[in-house]
Amino acid sequence: MLARVIVAALCLCLPLPAAATPPISEREFKLAVDPAPFAASYAAASAKLWVAAQNDARQLGATVTPGGKARTKRTLVRFYDTRSGELYCRHGLMLRARAKAGKDTPTDWQITLKSRGTDFAAAGRIDPAVLAGRKAKLELAEEPVWRDGQIVRLYSLSGSTRINEWAETTTIAKAAAIFPALAGFGPGETKLEPVDGLTVLQVEDDLGILQFPGLVLQAALIVWYNADGRAPIAAEYTFNHKVAPPSATPPAPSIADRYLAALAANQTIKPMLVAGDTKTAAVYRRICGS
């Protein structure tokens, strides 16, 4: 029944039921930086960025606890789409598969369908909910990014679940068996394959905790490499905090917004900034264009 409601809404351009959109539970700030330095020396490029980021945080009154969760996470990431990028380039949808790196044959894949855009009111235009009966999570996040000299607020609605196996290629029909909303995006036999043939190796370091007056942020560095870990594709400095209690409306700007703007103006970090605002956009750039 849910799938029929979603497909009808898509065809008739009707809004989806309000229940499809949960409240905002997290804010994740993203600053896209040049990935090239991470090819020569990950440690040196990371240290340079983190020292500058800590200085800005302290100037805004934060106490910094380096180390955070003190771990490096390595994850394999693939985006699945048609060869022309129909889902993402035309509809802003990301079908993503992630698994822990280090296994010859990855298992326990986390499969996510996400929509992202600047219009909060349209955040629920596509319902990424997982088929009823499967253990899953539905989450709405605000993702402020630095774009063209200003903060742009993106809203990301995602549904995710875990499965044991995920093929190198799939189809709309097979993906719609997990996310019913995808049934409205082409014939069932439409082939979905890794975008640009890429399997991304994600290296994520929890850099530390930034404790501002009244707000605690977790800071991290995320670098995407090709599968062999040699050629960096995208990089970002990110920091996040939970929204408690979750908010049904966009949260008011906070000191975290001021921190993002300060980072972009930092004389050490400013030369590192790159055009574009998300890692996903970097992966899709060749297919979708700039």
Side-chain angles (χ1 to χ4, degrees), residues 72-278:
T72 297
K73 293 174 282 188
R74 294 177 180 268
T75 309
L76 298 179
V77 184
R78 295 176 186 151
F79 292 91
Y80 286 79
D81 211 319
T82 64
R83 187 156 294 182
S84 62
E86 178 79 8
L87 295 180
Y88 180 80
C89 302
R90 290 193 59 191
H91 303 287
L93 290 178
M94 292 147 274
L95 180 60
R96 183 185 68 204
R98 295 197 298 197
K100 186 176 180 180
K103 295 184 178 180
D104 292 336
T105 304
T107 57
D108 191 24
W109 289 93
Q110 182 187 54
I111 310 299
T112 299
L113 179 63
K114 176 184 289 191
S115 64
R116 176 189 283 146
T118 57
D119 186 352
F120 174 73
R125 71 191 188 285
I126 302 298
D127 187 348
V130 175
L131 185 69
R134 180 184 288 272
K135 187 176 180 180
K137 180 173 70 173
L138 187 66
E139 184 176 47
L140 177 62
E142 184 182 71
E143 300 178 350
V145 298
W146 187 260
R147 179 197 294 168
D148 299 329
Q150 63 180 334
I151 294 176
V152 176
R153 300 181 187 282
L154 301 178
Y155 299 95
S156 172
L157 180 62
S158 62
S160 61
T161 189
R162 291 188 176 277
I163 61 176
N164 291 329
E165 295 182 2
W166 184 257
E168 284 282 347
T169 60
T170 188
T171 63
I172 286 284
K174 291 178 180 178
I178 301 175
F179 301 102
L182 287 176
F185 289 89
E189 66 272 15
T190 302
K191 188 176 180 180
L192 302 176
E193 55 191 5
V195 173
D196 241 3
L198 280 174
T199 295
V200 173
L201 173 63
Q202 173 175 299
V203 178
E204 179 178 357
D205 278 331
D206 292 313
L207 297 176
I209 296 172
L210 312 174
Q211 187 162 355
F212 290 91
L215 188 64
V216 178
L217 306 176
Q218 173 69 54
L221 172 67
I222 302 174
V223 182
W224 280 5
Y225 295 88
N226 63 355
D228 65 11
R230 295 181 180 178
I233 299 166
E236 75 179 18
Y237 176 68
T238 179
F239 49 96
N240 67 81
H241 68 88
K242 296 297 183 182
V243 178
S247 174
T249 59
S254 68
I255 197 166
D257 298 77
R258 292 170 54 197
Y259 179 48
L260 182 60
L263 290 168
N266 184 294
Q267 292 306 303
T268 297
I269 296 175
K270 192 173 182 178
M272 303 179 187
L273 302 184
V274 294
D277 47 44
T278 66

